[in-house]
Amino acid sequence: MCGIAGIIGPHSESALEYSLATLRIRGPDGTSITRLDGIDFGSTRLAIVDLKQGEQPFEDSEGRFILHGSGEIYNADELRETLCREGCRFRSLCDIEVIVHAWAKWGPVCISKLNGMFAIALWDKQEHELHLFRDPCGQKPLYYHHTADRFAFASEIRALRALGIFRQLDPAAIAAYLTLRYVPGPRTTCHQITELGAGQYLKLDRSRKISQRLIRYQSDPKLSLSVESIDSLRNNAVRIASRADVPIALYLSGGVDSWLLADANQKHGKARHAITLDFPSALGEGEAAARIARENGLQHHRIPWSNEWLKRLPDLIDRLESPIGDPLVVAFDLLAETARGIGAKVVLSGEGPDEWFGGYSFHRAAGWADTICSFGGAVLLPALAQVISRSGPLADHISSLRQSIGDEGRRRIAAWIADWPDASPEERANGLRRLFRCEEIQQIAQRPGWVAADLAALEPFTPESQGLPLIHRALASQSSHWLPGWVIGRHEKIALARGLEIRMPFLDPRLAALQFPDAKKTWRLCAAKAGWADSKKPKQAFALPAADLVRSPEFLELASAYLSESAVRQRAWFAPAKVVSIQQRALKGSFLAAKQWAALVMLEIWERGQK
């Protein structure tokens, strides 16, 4: 695990040192700089594998290619064995070293052979070409800046800005944030900085022209949705993701993914400790997680939630760089802090199955609506929208949260259904994740250029998914934006700020190849086969009680400090009357308004932290 940065073109001799200094929080165990004819690049290191000899850079046996990289290659042992048979000579057991030898032997096709999380910069000394590439889920971030005379890249935006890249706010990014509570790549909040997409490969040739393409991961044609096949994959995924020369812990909730993670760890992993954040009332899963830990031989560490922790938000939002409108980032920091406190340097978490198998409520709702329409039931949608707008239990069942979504939430679901016939496929599949609807953004935003966009522009489906059923298209496309930007984005930089590497073994590309809603049933059958007594337990979202949280003294103190009416007028981003209305509705217990208000407060905190 590392941070990387580099620059091609005019720059001062100290520029790269300044850039890498901002990345030491990602790699406190060492810094390495390579200066060559044509490029200066380097890395900071968080030592996880081969602690003594794993310093970068790495070169191939012939000395043509040189590499600085961030991440972990879980199948490095298998690749190293193959490459040694082909005559490659390794100087370490570090997993990242296999990449430079694989590139020398197989070229860019080697990227699709890598199983892990990575952001890599590789320089071809002979051709004076730079190659950048990311893992298929975008678990490791990578950004770049390109002008006629200069190209720079880094693991974090702040490292690029340390090179003197001026911050010019992109208004479209703020509109995207108001829509989704995050900024989907490749856009960033800075006009001059672009995020390299998940699974993308970029080549910069000697004339400084860019070519870019998506790396295709070939699925195994023998793969099936049988319990035996999926169970074998999940066990192997945890086994290879447990390779480390430092202590490992697990994050646990009380659900099926945590059970299957803990069970596989007991059989094939190294973790001896598990950590759970226990929320109050019906949202808490502490007891269920404790039972999972106990039955799988893990020492359990249970953290009770306190609203006092909200005071961490300003520091955490600064770490995230790009605004993410979810106070749950505090929970992820508490988990990471506890993991480091018990001596772990790596933690395994169970993200993946809900993303691959359509386990979220918005997936199910879109599937239901699409099925109704496919059988000629589109004419029934207006009547269904009316029923939902009046039925609390039905709307709450659709949301599947253990907190009522309230009247505003019910009206939002009803509007989404009513709009279905004229909506884009992306809006149909993911419209329930919207924070503000297009007309609401137009009403609240006061800056030119803050134009609301359809989800077809913000989170477009991949062309390859054309012709598939709606929910299959949504699942096949989410790794391009929502998975790296939201699911992983709330975790990665928060964990690294604590000196912790977070691994998500169920993001294994072999499991990703099973992106079908029916696979969720098989996944639960795997848990039953492994002895989980609650295999029929419905999914519970890992979420804070939003309506209660925003009425807490701790949140009100933050809101008063950052989003008072006078502060809103001074910033002049939003219509003050609209912000006051949202605040008032939130204080009356509106679930949707509470999420909107929290996101606006977090956006203001983020903006004040920008320099």
Side-chain angles (χ1 to χ4, degrees), residues 459-481:
E459 293 184 338
F461 286 167
T462 59
E464 295 77 17
S465 69
Q466 186 72 37
L468 294 175
L470 178 70
I471 192 62
H472 291 72
R473 295 194 71 189
L475 297 180
S477 304
Q478 61 192 352
S479 61
S480 300
H481 29 71

Side-chain angles (χ1 to χ4, degrees), residues 93 147 188 202 223 269 352 383 409 412-413 418 421 499 548 582:
L93 294 176
T147 62
T188 72
L202 180 152
L223 216 55
R412 173 64 63 86
I413 294 176
D548 293 334
I582 291 169

Side-chain angles (χ1 to χ4, degrees), residues 562-584:
Y562 287 93
L563 204 68
S564 65
E565 187 171 353
S566 61
V568 173
R569 293 185 185 280
Q570 183 177 359
R571 178 71 62 198
W573 279 11
F574 305 119
K578 293 296 182 181
V579 176
V580 170
S581 174
I582 291 169
Q583 175 185 347
Q584 291 174 343

Side-chain angles (χ1 to χ4, degrees), residues 275-279 300-305 309 331 334-336 338:
I275 308 162
T276 300
L277 186 64
D278 199 8
F279 296 130
H300 191 229
H301 304 264
R302 186 169 167 179
I303 315 164
W305 170 261
W309 303 122
L334 288 167
L335 289 167
T338 304

